[in-house]
């Protein structure tokens, strides 16, 4: 029976995400409840962990698959209340675009990258590292779609 690596509960306690982290490929230790994953990221974030929404607390590898998407969407939804031009909202939007691209949802990712780039240019400036990273990410998504 699969159990959550945080609360040790099973499926009866909520939806489980399998293979939340690429390093946790030993079977059961890679299973986590959606709610536990979000609570863990929120806790780490309040403690100053700048990678709480993107990296595993155990191995520090980036989350993948459903875990990546759950955290990116939750963080983006949470940061919307800060306003579309807030730096944390821009970061969460970029992280969501990354997650969409990783899921192969290139059109959605490209749309979100374009929106992020427009806001980053306005708020941070066209030469800011975050703006340049978003532009590079958009170029990668367009390349992956065969749009040269």
């Amino acid at each position: 029976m699969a159990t959550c690596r945080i609360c040790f509960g099973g499926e009866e306690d909520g939806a489980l995400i399998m293979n939340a982290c690429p390093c946790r490929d030993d079977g059961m230790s890679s299973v986590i409840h959606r709610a536990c994953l979000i609570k863990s990221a929120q806790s780490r974030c309040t403690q100053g962990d700048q990678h709480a929404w993107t990296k595993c607390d155990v191995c520090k590898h980036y989350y993948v698959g459903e875990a990546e998407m759950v955290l990116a969407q939750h963080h983006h939804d949470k940061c919307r209340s800060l306003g579309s031009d807030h730096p944390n909202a821009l970061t969460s939007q970029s992280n969501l675009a990354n997650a969409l691209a990783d899921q192969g949802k290139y059109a959605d990712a490209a749309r979100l990258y374009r929106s992020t780039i427009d806001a980053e240019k306005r708020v941070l400036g066209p030469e800011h590292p975050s703006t340049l990273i978003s532009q590079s990410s958009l170029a990668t998504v367009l390349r992956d779609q065969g749009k040269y």
Side-chain angles (χ1 to χ4, degrees), residues 1-100:
M1 177 170 124
T3 58
C4 174
R5 71 173 172 85
I6 292 180
C7 74
F8 303 106
E11 290 183 51
E12 68 279 0
D13 298 318
L16 289 168
I17 298 173
M18 307 301 284
N19 303 318
C21 173
C23 77
R24 309 301 292 199
D25 61 1
D26 59 348
M28 296 307 148
S29 63
S30 65
V31 177
I32 192 167
H33 286 116
R34 288 172 159 257
C36 290
L37 181 65
I38 291 169
K39 284 180 190 175
S40 172
Q42 287 172 329
S43 173
R44 291 171 46 216
C45 187
T46 59
Q47 296 170 10
D49 183 350
Q50 64 181 357
H51 298 291
W53 297 102
T54 56
K55 290 186 178 183
C56 175
D57 59 324
V58 176
C59 70
K60 310 303 181 219
H61 283 90
Y62 285 99
Y63 287 111
V64 296
E66 184 181 0
E68 176 187 28
M69 199 66 200
V70 164
L71 287 176
Q73 186 65 60
H74 182 82
H75 189 228
H76 179 64
D77 292 347
K78 182 178 172 241
C79 287
R80 277 183 161 162
S81 65
L82 299 172
S84 61
D85 287 349
H86 191 281
N88 289 353
L90 295 174
T91 298
S92 72
Q93 188 167 319
S94 182
N95 288 343
L96 180 56
N98 292 338
L100 290 165

